[in-house]
Each structure stands twice: as C-alpha cells, then as structure tokens.
C-alpha cells in the first residue's frame, strides 16, 4: 500500500514538472504577444482600433485571417514601410496610404506582427525574429 | 445605545439635508468674460456677465459650398481641428466623435464641425473623400476648409485649441485633440479630449444637459 502511494506521488510530481515546463517557443510567443501589444497600442491602434476593427474605409480591419495568411511574408514589410496600393480586405477595397514606421527595429516588427496575427480572432502562431529579419531585408 | 441611535439619526438627517440642496446641473462657461450693464425686458438696468463667443466665419465645406456660421444658428455643435493625412490622434478623435455623431444623428439641434488645419492639401475634394470614407454623409457634419490665417486664428483665439505647423512632427502639423462644445448662443460650454473614451462619454452626457437649458 505504502509503495503505491509513494509511486503515485513521485509519478504525479514528474507529471507536474513536465506540464509546468513550457517549451521555449511558448515562452517566446508570450513575450512577443505582450511586447507586441504595447507597440500596437502606441503605433497602430489609433487607425486600426482597439479590437482591430479598422476605421471606416480609411483604415482596414485586421480581422481578415485569410488576407493575413495569404500575405504572411509581406506583413513585416508593410508594418515597416507602410502600404501604398489598394488592398482587398474583408471583401472591401482600401486605397488609403498606410504610413511607414522606419523607427521600428526588426524585433519590434516581429513582436507587433505576432501580436496582430494572434489577436482579434486570428490564430497563426509564432514567427521568430530571425525569420522576420530575413523578410525585412528583401522588402520590395 | 441611545447615543448610537442619536448619532445615526444625526448622520442620516445630515445626508438628507445635503442631498436635497443639489441644483439642476449646468455646464460651465469657458474663455474670457466681462461684466456689462444691460437693460432687461422691462427696461431696468442691471449688470450681467458677457461670455466669449465664436465670431462670424465663412469657409468652404466638403461640397465646395460657401458655409457660414449661420448653419449653426439654433443648434449646439461640437467643433474640432484635424487634417485628413494625420496618422496620430485624428483617427482616434474621429472614431470617438463618430459614436457621438451616431448617437445624435436624429437630433436636428445638434451639429458637428471639423476644421482642417492642412491648408495646403485638404481642399474640399479631399475633405469630401475623407468624410465619405469615415462614413459621414449629409450636412449634419461639416468639414471646413479655409486659409491658414483664418482657421488658425479661429482655433487659438476663439475655440482655445492650439494648432500649428511643425516640420519636425511626423505629419507636418501639431494640434490638440479637443472636441469643443458650443451652445446656441455661440459660447464655449465644454472641451473634451477626443482621444480619451471617458471624456467622449462625458460629452455624450453633456449635450442633452446643454439642450435642456434651452427648454422652457
């Protein structure tokens, strides 16, 4: 009987350790999400809104997951350099210019991009800073 | 025991007395004021306070129509200063002002006036495009274009909102994000930071209070 209790207790504690030990990517994701949120509030929210709802036809919403997914490799460049072309988002065409944010470092761009693509109903997972850095080097 | 009952009753009666001396809430007056001797209806002289008022103005609106202060006659209105290419506080201001606009859409006694401070780019056609994209149509919300001098003087001297050109600012202009509430006698009755949701909520509560002042 005693043996059983000791065994199950030790098993439980091992299980607890495994569960509490998150992998590095989850921790990174949480970091990016929290820093990305601060950047979003400071730079993006005035046009795109608290819940990514956009503003009339002046600023598109950030809730179109399909757009975000198909343009995934361009998002970083759009955040850094703005956009000056018409974009079809949520079935509507947006023609207003998006300003550039050249002051954002690669890591900032990565964090705010991860925040946007994992908020407002989007759930596209983690993109590491290194990958974003490569994308930013080949912006058109 | 008696003591406790006594103190409780004192407290209660004090509360009743204080709560009963509330007056009807009236909005404050902003700006310069001076005392003037006026004659009332019966001809008797008395001293009255005269408050700062918005002077006559004439600008082009989003439909390129000459628009003057007479459009605000008999209305309370909310005025602000912005420009269409502004990427900082203006989108937030107008997002919030949109909610006020929608709340009072069917009230003919309420109007909205936005002055652009970008005298170089924001011609009426640009204002029209902006208004349409924001989701505003019709004369209830006027977007006005005027010369730099006329708009900037009106902003700083009359609406008490700071505006200016600034080549170091990201979009070339700086300005305060106040939504200024003007009564039917063209006096300033409130100024609310259009970038703060709680102040915009206060504006929504204050407009009916101001309208109530004119109901007899």
């Amino acid at each position: 009987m005693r043996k059983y209790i000791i065994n199950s207790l030790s098993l439980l504690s091992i299980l607890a350790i495994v569960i509490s030990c998150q992998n590095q990517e989850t921790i990174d994701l949480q970091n990016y999400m929290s820093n990305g949120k601060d950047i979003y509030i400071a730079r993006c929210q005035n046009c795109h809104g608290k819940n990514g709802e956009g503003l009339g036809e002046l600023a598109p919403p950030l809730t179109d997951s399909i757009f975000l997914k198909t343009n995934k490799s361009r998002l970083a460049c759009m955040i850094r350099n703005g956009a000056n072309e018409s974009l079809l988002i949520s079935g509507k065409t947006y023609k207003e210019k998006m300003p550039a944010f050249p002051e954002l470092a690669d890591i900032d761009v990565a964090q705010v991009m991860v925040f946007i693509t994992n908020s407002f109903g989007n759930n596209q997972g983690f993109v590491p800073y290194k990958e974003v850095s490569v994308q930013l080097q080949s912006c058109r | 025991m008696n003591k406790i009952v006594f103190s409780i009753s004192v407290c209660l009666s004090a509360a009743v007395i204080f709560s009963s001396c509330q007056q009807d809430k009236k909005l404050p007056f902003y700006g310069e004021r001076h005392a003037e001797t006026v004659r009332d209806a019966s001809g008797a002289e008395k001293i009255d306070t005269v408050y700062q008022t918005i002077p006559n103005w004439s600008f082009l609106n989003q439909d390129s129509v000459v628009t003057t202060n007479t459009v605000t006659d008999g209305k309370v209105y909310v005025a602000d200063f912005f420009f269409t290419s502004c990427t900082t506080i203006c989108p937030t201001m107008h997002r919030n002002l949109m909610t006020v606009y929608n709340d009072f859409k069917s009230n003919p006694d309420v109007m909205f006036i936005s002055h652009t401070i970008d005298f170089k780019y924001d011609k009426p056609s640009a204002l029209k495009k902006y208004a349409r994209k924001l989701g505003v149509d019709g004369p209830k919300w006027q977007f006005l274009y005027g010369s730099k001098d006329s708009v900037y003087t009106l902003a700083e001297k009359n609406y008490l909102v700071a505006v200016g050109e600034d080549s170091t600012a990201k979009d070339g202009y700086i300005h305060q994000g106040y939504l200024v509430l003007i009564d039917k006698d063209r006096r300033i009755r409130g100024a609310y930071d259009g970038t703060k949701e709680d102040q915009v909520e206060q504006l929504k509560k204050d407009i009916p209070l101001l309208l109530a002042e004119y109901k007899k």
Side-chain angles (χ1 to χ4, degrees), chain A residues 43-50 53-58 94-97 99-103, chain B residues 84 86-96 98 129-135 170-171 197:
Chain A
R43 317 259 171 179
C44 318
Q45 185 170 297
N46 48 6
C47 289
H48 291 291
K50 206 201 249 169
E53 73 271 25
L55 178 60
E57 286 175 47
L58 295 166
Y94 292 86
K95 291 181 192 151
E96 289 299 303
K97 204 170 132 191
F101 296 90
E103 68 276 21
Chain B
T84 62
C86 163
T87 58
T88 51
I89 63 172
C90 314
T92 313
M93 276 167 68
H94 279 175
R95 176 195 311 282
N96 290 333
M98 253 330 254
K129 202 176 87 179
Y130 177 86
R132 190 177 50 76
K133 292 197 167 181
L134 187 65
K170 187 166 181 180
D171 302 317
E197 264 174 51

Side-chain angles (χ1 to χ4, degrees), chain B residues 157-209:
Chain B
K157 292 259 166 16
N158 304 116
Y159 285 106
L160 312 177
V161 176
V163 297
E165 272 187 284
D166 184 351
S167 53
T168 61
K170 187 166 181 180
D171 302 317
Y173 298 92
I174 48 163
H175 62 112
Q176 287 178 315
Y178 284 114
L179 307 173
V180 186
L181 180 61
I182 308 294
D183 69 13
K184 292 184 181 180
D185 298 305
R186 297 158 82 178
R187 297 170 299 195
I188 306 172
R189 303 300 297 275
Y192 311 81
D193 188 336
T195 61
K196 300 211 166 72
E197 264 174 51
D198 55 327
Q199 294 203 26
V200 176
E201 285 307 310
Q202 189 60 48
L203 170 61
K204 287 182 193 168
K205 287 183 202 145
D206 285 355
I207 290 175
L209 283 181

